[in-house]
């Protein structure tokens, strides 16, 4: 099927909700059902974060859902105008700046992400910043922030696009690195069930892209810097 990015609809929505228009009723219903379990509530004041990077990258890292740092955990949190611009570019796959600035923004450190900087540091050191931002794609099972992960018994409209991106990556023999929610991912994308080029983290919570934290894939081929080398960089995003 042809991939249609649902986040164009989000960008052009008529209301100010931070949930996708087709996800909103279900997200709010989930929050209502979980009202006494606040760590699982989906943040209705943070912009969605379904993925980060180049969707044609040869390495995919499959995550659960975006978390919240100490600042984002407060409902008074506000994104800067520059952050909102980068979020929009990322949602629409417009270039590599959203990923670049999360890893390296010395002139505006507030744009950097300690989460992604720490988890890619070893790989950046072994290759280059340019290689990582062009050749690694992080993708969440769903796009909405919460303090703790909870397996929602429903598939959001916006998730279907993410599942198709992973399915497309499998078709082109990308390396898939799985962390948390493996059951969810394999159920949503059945092609993963017997896919050969899968790595798993030794610690699913740390998600550090380092040789120490990565095991072997189903063909016992160790992940190394060659997987994100300049030779494997896609020609375009």
């Amino acid at each position: 099927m042809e991939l249609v990015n649902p986040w164009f609809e989000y960008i052009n929505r008529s209301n100010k909700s931070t949930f996708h228009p087709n996800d909103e009723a279900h997200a709010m219903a989930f929050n209502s059902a979980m009202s006494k379990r606040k760590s699982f509530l989906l943040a209705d004041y943070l912009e969605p974060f379904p993925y980060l990077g180049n969707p044609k990258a040869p390495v995919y890292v499959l995550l659960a859902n975006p978390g919240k740092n100490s600042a984002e955990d407060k409902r008074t949190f506000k994104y800067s105008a520059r952050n909102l611009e980068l979020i929009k570019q990322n949602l629409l796959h417009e270039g590599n700046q959203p990923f670049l600035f999360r890893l390296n923004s010395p002139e505006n450190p507030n744009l950097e992400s300690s989460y992604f900087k720490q988890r890619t540091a070893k790989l950046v050191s072994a290759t280059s910043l340019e290689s990582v931002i062009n050749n690694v794609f992080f993708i969440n099972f769903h796009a909405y922030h919460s303090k703790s992960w909870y397996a929602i018994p429903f598939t959001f409209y916006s998730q279907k696009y993410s599942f198709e991106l992973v399915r497309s990556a499998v078709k082109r023999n990308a390396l898939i690195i799985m962390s948390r929610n493996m059951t969810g991912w394999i159920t949503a994308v059945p092609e993963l069930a017997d896919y050969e080029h899968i790595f798993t983290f030794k610690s699913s919570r740390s998600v550090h892209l380092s040789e120490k934290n990565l095991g072997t894939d189903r063909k016992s081929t160790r992940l190394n810097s060659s997987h994100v080398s300049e030779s494997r960089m896609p020609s375009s995003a």
Side-chain angles (χ1 to χ4, degrees), residues 28 52 59 63 72 107 120 146 162 173:
M28 292 175 66
L52 178 67
V59 176
L63 307 173
E72 293 168 341
E107 295 182 0
T120 60
S146 64
S162 295
N173 293 319

Side-chain angles (χ1 to χ4, degrees), residues 62-64 148-149 178-183 185 204-205 207:
L62 277 52
L63 307 173
S148 301
W149 160 254
M178 301 187 73
S179 60
R180 302 178 69 188
N181 191 37
M182 291 181 64
T183 300
W185 275 113
S204 64
R205 289 186 176 274
V207 197

Side-chain angles (χ1 to χ4, degrees), residues 120-183:
T120 60
K122 296 287 187 182
L123 198 55
V124 169
S125 178
T127 58
S128 69
L129 180 62
E130 183 180 12
S131 291
V132 171
I133 64 176
N134 280 283
N135 291 285
V136 179
F137 186 65
F138 289 93
I139 185 164
N140 283 303
F141 193 70
H142 72 74
Y144 303 116
H145 300 256
S146 64
K147 189 172 184 178
S148 301
W149 160 254
Y150 190 92
I152 300 173
F154 177 80
T155 300
F156 290 122
Y157 168 82
S158 61
Q159 284 179 277
K160 296 176 183 179
Y161 176 66
S162 295
F163 299 160
E164 284 300 319
L165 287 177
V166 175
R167 191 170 288 113
S168 179
V170 167
K171 287 180 180 177
R172 63 174 186 273
N173 293 319
L175 296 176
I176 306 292
I177 306 174
M178 301 187 73
S179 60
R180 302 178 69 188
N181 191 37
M182 291 181 64
T183 300

Side-chain angles (χ1 to χ4, degrees), residues 6-180:
W7 298 107
F8 280 95
E9 298 172 89
Y10 175 80
I11 294 300
N12 295 316
R13 69 196 186 282
S14 57
N15 62 28
K16 296 298 181 182
S17 172
T18 55
F19 297 128
H20 187 284
N22 289 345
D23 295 343
E24 184 175 11
H26 301 285
M28 292 175 66
F30 172 80
N31 279 353
S32 177
M34 302 293 284
S35 60
K36 294 183 179 180
R37 305 178 70 181
K38 297 189 181 301
S39 65
F40 299 124
L41 295 180
L42 305 179
D44 59 1
Y45 58 94
L46 296 175
E47 292 290 317
F49 188 69
Y51 41 66
L52 178 67
N54 173 16
K56 295 182 180 178
V59 176
Y60 265 48
V61 182
L62 277 52
L63 307 173
N65 74 305
K68 296 187 289 184
N69 60 34
S70 57
E72 293 168 341
D73 199 30
K74 300 174 183 176
R75 289 192 62 86
T76 54
F77 176 84
K78 297 291 183 183
Y79 293 101
S80 68
R82 181 60 174 140
N83 251 317
L84 288 171
E85 180 184 353
L86 291 170
I87 289 170
K88 176 182 177 181
Q89 290 175 4
N90 180 57
L91 288 173
L92 305 183
H93 306 306
E94 294 177 347
N96 60 15
Q97 283 197 345
F99 200 173
L100 172 63
F101 285 120
R102 282 182 183 262
L103 298 189
N104 185 41
S105 183
E107 295 182 0
N108 192 349
N110 290 330
L111 299 178
E112 295 183 351
S113 164
S114 59
Y115 179 91
F116 286 105
K117 283 191 70 172
Q118 291 172 9
R119 282 152 183 79
T120 60
K122 296 287 187 182
L123 198 55
V124 169
S125 178
T127 58
S128 69
L129 180 62
E130 183 180 12
S131 291
V132 171
I133 64 176
N134 280 283
N135 291 285
V136 179
F137 186 65
F138 289 93
I139 185 164
N140 283 303
F141 193 70
H142 72 74
Y144 303 116
H145 300 256
S146 64
K147 189 172 184 178
S148 301
W149 160 254
Y150 190 92
I152 300 173
F154 177 80
T155 300
F156 290 122
Y157 168 82
S158 61
Q159 284 179 277
K160 296 176 183 179
Y161 176 66
S162 295
F163 299 160
E164 284 300 319
L165 287 177
V166 175
R167 191 170 288 113
S168 179
V170 167
K171 287 180 180 177
R172 63 174 186 273
N173 293 319
L175 296 176
I176 306 292
I177 306 174
M178 301 187 73
S179 60
R180 302 178 69 188

